Amino acid sequence: MESEGLKVFLKSVGDAVYSLNTICVGLDAVSKGNVEKPDDLTISWESNDYKQSAISARSFAVRSALVFVEEALLEYFKYISNCPDQPAKILSAVTADGAAKKVEKLSSQVSNLEPYWAPIVTLLVRWRNKVVHNSNTSLSPAFRKILIDNSGIIGQRHAAIDISQTLSNFDSRKITLKDFTTMIAVTIRYVRQLDAELSPNIKSTEFLRNQIISRDLVSDYKNVIGVNGIDKQKKKFDSFIKSNFPSLIGAQSDTLFESRFDILENK
């Protein structure tokens, strides 16, 4: 069963990818000069080279989407870190300093990961750092070797991408849409596998408490359990769960309702 954290991750990534795709469709019209700024659009815009304007804007959109995806990945790691049922080594991995280190340490603790997944997810993180911080960060020689050694299977599974060219693009800070979509596809597979093996579903009041606190829902939850009358409380509780933790609707939600006053005890 997909965890609440995975559902949030997939929605965030899906929204970023859809928005990027929409932008790319619109920019195709820009590149052909088939556009005119509406008078009621209160911005300043003109172009002497529609094609180059579209290319530059597309590159910006890809880089921006990359940032959103990495943030979604970090939120998923944060979700795992709030899971009290996880082994100490997993919790240590997801609380390590830096997203790249989190990926590296987690990958050594989880089985059934393709060898090239962690290097590509790390590449996404490193690329994001170049975009946001203009850093000179690089991918480790060990991870580069793994990618080159697996270039054939990567090309077969990911639209014939040339991973050597992707690495060259990374070194020269020239991300392409194909680079982006490949990293996204691999990151999604990576997170899905983590979720399947770790099974970080909300099964206890402690885990739910951690999530409520982490997502700044304490005041909202207190309003739920502050309602007079058990029937009204149950209705508000179900509505709260449906809005914020939809995967818990049903028997699990009913069980947690029985412990509703313990969830935020002393908070």
Side-chain angles (χ1 to χ4, degrees), residues 186-213:
V186 171
T187 301
I188 289 173
R189 293 183 188 188
Y190 172 82
V191 174
R192 280 190 180 278
Q193 187 60 36
L194 291 181
D195 206 70
E197 292 205 24
L198 300 179
S199 189
N201 295 295
I202 300 175
K203 305 166 187 151
S204 65
T205 55
E206 184 181 356
F207 196 0
L208 183 57
R209 178 190 306 120
N210 291 346
Q211 291 301 313
I212 289 173
I213 294 171

Side-chain angles (χ1 to χ4, degrees), residues 18-237:
Y18 180 78
S19 295
L20 175 60
N21 291 347
T22 301
I23 291 169
C24 288
V25 170
L27 288 173
D28 182 66
V30 172
S31 70
K32 296 172 182 174
N34 298 332
V35 294
E36 183 175 328
K37 185 183 79 68
D39 292 336
D40 60 352
L41 192 60
T42 55
I43 59 171
S44 176
W45 185 83
E46 61 181 23
S47 176
N48 295 320
D49 187 336
Y50 289 107
K51 185 174 182 179
Q52 187 56 50
S53 293
I55 290 172
S56 297
R58 179 161 137 164
S59 176
F60 175 81
V62 171
R63 287 182 279 120
S64 299
L66 186 68
V67 175
F68 277 98
V69 172
E70 200 239 15
E71 286 300 313
L73 179 65
L74 288 175
E75 283 300 311
Y76 180 76
F77 289 157
K78 184 178 180 182
Y79 172 84
I80 297 291
S81 74
N82 286 320
C83 179
D85 301 326
Q86 292 299 320
K89 288 184 178 180
I90 296 297
L91 295 177
S92 174
V94 294
T95 54
D97 289 337
K101 181 60 69 175
K102 288 177 171 64
V103 173
E104 181 182 344
K105 293 187 70 173
L106 261 180
S107 299
S108 67
Q109 300 297 326
V110 178
S111 59
N112 298 320
L113 296 175
E114 291 289 345
Y116 66 88
W117 284 0
I120 286 184
V121 177
T122 302
L123 182 64
L124 179 147
V125 170
R126 298 295 190 196
W127 220 322
R128 177 265 182 194
N129 289 342
K130 284 196 175 191
V131 168
V132 174
H133 303 297
N134 195 31
S135 70
N136 293 317
T137 185
S138 60
L139 193 66
S140 70
F143 273 0
R144 282 178 180 267
K145 185 176 187 305
I146 291 173
L147 293 181
I148 296 302
D149 289 348
N150 287 271
S151 59
I153 194 168
I154 294 172
Q156 287 177 357
R157 293 178 178 175
H158 301 284
I161 191 168
D162 181 351
I163 199 65
S164 296
Q165 184 59 54
T166 296
L167 290 171
S168 177
N169 292 342
F170 169 71
D171 293 335
S172 60
R173 303 171 184 268
K174 295 178 181 178
I175 190 168
T176 68
L177 185 60
K178 194 167 188 176
D179 295 329
F180 173 81
T181 55
T182 299
M183 289 190 292
I184 297 309
V186 171
T187 301
I188 289 173
R189 293 183 188 188
Y190 172 82
V191 174
R192 280 190 180 278
Q193 187 60 36
L194 291 181
D195 206 70
E197 292 205 24
L198 300 179
S199 189
N201 295 295
I202 300 175
K203 305 166 187 151
S204 65
T205 55
E206 184 181 356
F207 196 0
L208 183 57
R209 178 190 306 120
N210 291 346
Q211 291 301 313
I212 289 173
I213 294 171
S214 175
R215 292 167 57 178
D216 295 324
L217 296 172
V218 172
S219 294
D220 292 344
Y221 185 77
K222 286 184 175 180
N223 288 335
V224 169
I225 60 176
V227 172
N228 291 325
I230 189 169
D231 290 340
K232 290 183 178 179
Q233 277 186 14
K234 183 64 168 67
K235 185 176 181 180
K236 292 275 286 185
F237 184 87

